[in-house]
């Protein structure tokens, strides 16, 4: 039987084969480096594909359909201009990373994966 989307996602996260997706927040969130994911996962040849798409928007749509919510990263900003500009550069690089949370998708509680249903 083919795996459903959350099962595929879980296998990717537990594999050391992918550098573009990992557990974040102590195993409570999925972190995706958008640019690297597009090359590493979605850019694969047909017979090596994990998902039946080549578009990150389709993967994000699946995350939303399975109850994942996008997490926002809040950064404290400095008052001094040089510090602010260096922080801005770091935030810009960090914006390529997407964070998604689902209470039923938790590394410490693999048995909850079965409750991760499509809406």
């Amino acid at each position: 039987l083919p795996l459903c989307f959350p099962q595929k996602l879980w296998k990717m996260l537990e594999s050391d084969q992918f550098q573009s997706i990992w557990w974040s927040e102590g195993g409570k969130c999925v972190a995706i480096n958008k640019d690297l994911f597009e090359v590493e996962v979605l850019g694969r040849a047909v017979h090596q594909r994990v998902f039946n798409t080549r578009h990150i928007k389709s993967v994000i749509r699946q995350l939303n359909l399975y109850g994942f919510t996008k997490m926002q990263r809040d950064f404290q900003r400095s008052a001094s201009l040089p510090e602010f500009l260096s922080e801005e550069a770091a935030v810009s690089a960090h914006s390529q990373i997407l964070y998604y949370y689902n209470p039923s998708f938790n590394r410490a509680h693999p048995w909850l994966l079965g409750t991760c249903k499509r809406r």
Side-chain angles (χ1 to χ4, degrees):
L1 282 173
L3 299 176
C4 68
F5 179 81
Q7 292 169 324
K8 288 180 184 179
L9 200 58
W10 188 283
K11 285 183 81 73
M12 288 177 70
L13 289 161
E14 291 297 309
S15 165
D16 57 2
Q17 187 179 355
F18 302 97
Q19 262 66 88
S20 60
I21 185 168
W22 63 93
W23 290 106
S24 178
E25 306 295 323
K28 293 180 178 148
C29 288
V30 176
I32 302 170
N33 180 316
K34 187 174 163 270
D35 290 345
L36 185 56
F37 190 85
E38 288 175 329
V39 173
E40 182 184 56
V41 178
L42 303 178
R44 290 175 155 221
V46 176
H47 65 282
Q48 293 181 315
R49 283 214 186 122
V50 177
F51 303 114
N52 294 330
T53 185
R54 296 180 68 82
H55 306 284
I56 190 74
K57 285 184 178 185
S58 297
V59 174
I60 291 169
R61 190 176 309 116
Q62 287 293 313
L63 285 164
N64 292 327
L65 281 171
Y66 279 93
F68 286 82
T69 54
K70 187 173 183 181
M71 305 292 289
Q72 297 299 326
R73 287 285 173 252
D74 295 325
F75 293 94
Q76 297 296 321
R77 299 302 173 97
S78 297
S80 78
L81 184 61
E83 286 179 27
F84 178 83
L85 292 174
S86 68
E87 289 168 1
E88 195 64 25
V91 168
S92 176
H94 205 273
S95 69
Q96 291 300 321
I97 300 174
L98 308 173
Y99 296 91
Y100 284 88
Y101 170 77
N102 181 326
S104 298
F105 199 87
N106 185 315
R107 189 177 198 179
H109 307 295
W111 59 88
L112 290 176
L113 187 59
T115 65
C116 211
K117 301 286 185 208
R118 190 175 172 140
R119 291 186 200 174

